[in-house]
Amino acid sequence: MATRHDPSTILEKQEQRVKPPPMYQVVLLNDDYTPMEFVVSVLQKFFGMGREKATQVMLKVHREGRGVCGVFPRDVASTKVEQVCSYSRQHQHPLQCVMEEA
Ligand code: TYC
């Protein structure tokens, strides 16, 4: 049903109350045992990176100890962490992945 406003009424813009969802970084951690090639394949498989980008991120983690794989809403970040950890365990690698509020 259409609502009519008295033309003398001043309509104030409603304040925007919906905040964007908090975002989370998925961070990959270095270790001494996981093969470089395996890390590159994880970045391609779970983060949709091409081979070159995946290699750059892997080398950054290798040299600096950690690196960001992507930034996602909480549920997506949590699923990625689970997938990476479980896939790494299946392949007997100690690769660690965590999420942090961005
Ligand atoms: N440091 C590992 C090696 O020398 C490679 C590696 C890179 C492991 C990134 C984990 O998240 C990682 N084989």
Side-chain angles (χ1 to χ4, degrees), residues 28-36 39 58 61-62 95:
L28 204 58
L29 305 178
N30 189 35
D31 66 72
D32 292 337
Y33 305 103
T34 306
M36 290 183 173
V39 179
M58 180 280 292
V61 177
H62 177 68
L95 183 62

Side-chain angles (χ1 to χ4, degrees), residues 50-82:
R51 199 167 170 77
E52 281 207 359
K53 175 73 182 165
T55 303
Q56 283 172 12
V57 173
M58 180 280 292
L59 286 174
K60 182 182 169 70
V61 177
H62 177 68
R63 292 179 183 134
E64 298 176 18
R66 48 183 279 143
V68 176
C69 310
V71 180
F72 309 96
R74 186 173 57 204
D75 290 1
V76 178
S78 164
T79 300
K80 302 247 181 231
V81 168
E82 257 325 298

Side-chain angles (χ1 to χ4, degrees), residues 3-88:
T3 312
R4 285 193 190 283
H5 295 289
D6 173 346
S8 67
T9 305
I10 297 167
L11 296 176
E12 285 178 17
K13 195 162 180 269
Q14 282 271 314
E15 211 175 284
Q16 182 59 267
R17 280 172 303 128
V18 185
K19 283 192 282 176
M23 300 294 276
Y24 291 79
Q25 292 183 333
V26 174
V27 177
L28 204 58
L29 305 178
N30 189 35
D31 66 72
D32 292 337
Y33 305 103
T34 306
M36 290 183 173
E37 188 53 45
F38 182 80
V39 179
V40 170
S41 71
V42 162
L43 291 166
Q44 291 186 274
K45 184 175 175 69
F46 296 108
F47 298 94
M49 293 181 197
R51 199 167 170 77
E52 281 207 359
K53 175 73 182 165
T55 303
Q56 283 172 12
V57 173
M58 180 280 292
L59 286 174
K60 182 182 169 70
V61 177
H62 177 68
R63 292 179 183 134
E64 298 176 18
R66 48 183 279 143
V68 176
C69 310
V71 180
F72 309 96
R74 186 173 57 204
D75 290 1
V76 178
S78 164
T79 300
K80 302 247 181 231
V81 168
E82 257 325 298
Q83 287 174 328
V84 171
C85 289
S86 136
Y87 185 71
S88 301

